[in-house]
């Protein structure tokens, strides 16, 4: 039973990572810092999931990126684009509608 719950929890979280990234990247962050912030916030994600997601969101025009080469190790910083901000606003609205719907459904079935 615990394995099934874990598996289903991972499915639920998978769709929330995009919204979480768009919310957090209002301020520029590099990938590893974003990964730590997400995990600290309880949005479990690993690097093998996050980095391809960031590249995909950038390709879709929802993020922009910039290399910082001033430190000893170059880092790529990501930030939400204007289009990404608009998409985030729409996703937050959809998320809230979904939360409200699930709350109603779970209350009705008690």
């Amino acid at each position: 039973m615990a394995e099934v719950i874990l598996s289903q929890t991972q499915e639920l979280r998978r769709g929330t990572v995009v919204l979480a990234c768009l919310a957090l990247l209002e301020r520029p962050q590099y990938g590893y810092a974003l990964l730590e912030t997400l995990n600290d916030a309880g949005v479990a994600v690993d690097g093998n999931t996050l980095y391809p997601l960031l590249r995909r969101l950038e390709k879709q025009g929802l993020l922009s990126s910039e290399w910082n080469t001033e430190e000893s190790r170059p880092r790529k910083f990501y930030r939400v684009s204007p289009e990404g901000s608009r998409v985030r606003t729409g996703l937050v609205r959809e998320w809230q509608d979904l939360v409200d719907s699930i709350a109603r459904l779970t209350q009705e079935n008690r």
Side-chain angles (χ1 to χ4, degrees):
M1 174 97 149
E3 287 181 27
V4 173
I5 292 171
L6 178 61
S7 172
Q8 294 305 315
T9 299
Q10 288 173 336
E11 288 297 318
L12 284 172
R13 288 179 182 217
R14 189 168 288 138
T16 63
V17 175
V18 170
L19 180 54
C21 287
L22 293 176
L24 288 172
L25 290 172
E26 192 63 35
R27 292 182 341 198
Q29 289 191 54
Y30 62 97
Y32 186 75
L34 179 61
L35 188 64
E36 286 184 326
T37 302
L38 287 167
N39 285 315
D40 290 347
V43 181
V45 63
D46 66 24
N48 292 330
T49 300
L50 182 64
Y51 292 109
L53 172 67
L54 293 173
R55 287 190 296 272
R56 180 171 56 90
L57 294 175
E58 184 177 21
K59 187 175 180 182
Q60 292 171 345
L62 303 180
L63 297 179
S64 59
S65 67
E66 185 175 303
W67 282 97
N68 179 347
T69 56
E70 294 174 7
E71 297 179 21
S72 60
R73 185 173 156 203
R75 292 181 174 163
K76 189 174 189 178
F77 281 77
Y78 293 91
R79 181 181 196 132
V80 70
S81 68
E83 178 68 13
S85 290
R86 288 188 289 276
V87 168
R88 181 189 60 229
T89 299
L91 288 176
V92 167
R93 230 182 350 260
E94 291 294 327
W95 174 258
Q96 193 57 58
D97 289 347
L98 184 58
V99 167
D100 293 345
S101 295
I102 295 297
R104 278 193 308 276
L105 289 171
T106 56
Q107 291 297 321
E108 291 170 4
N109 290 319
R110 285 187 177 181

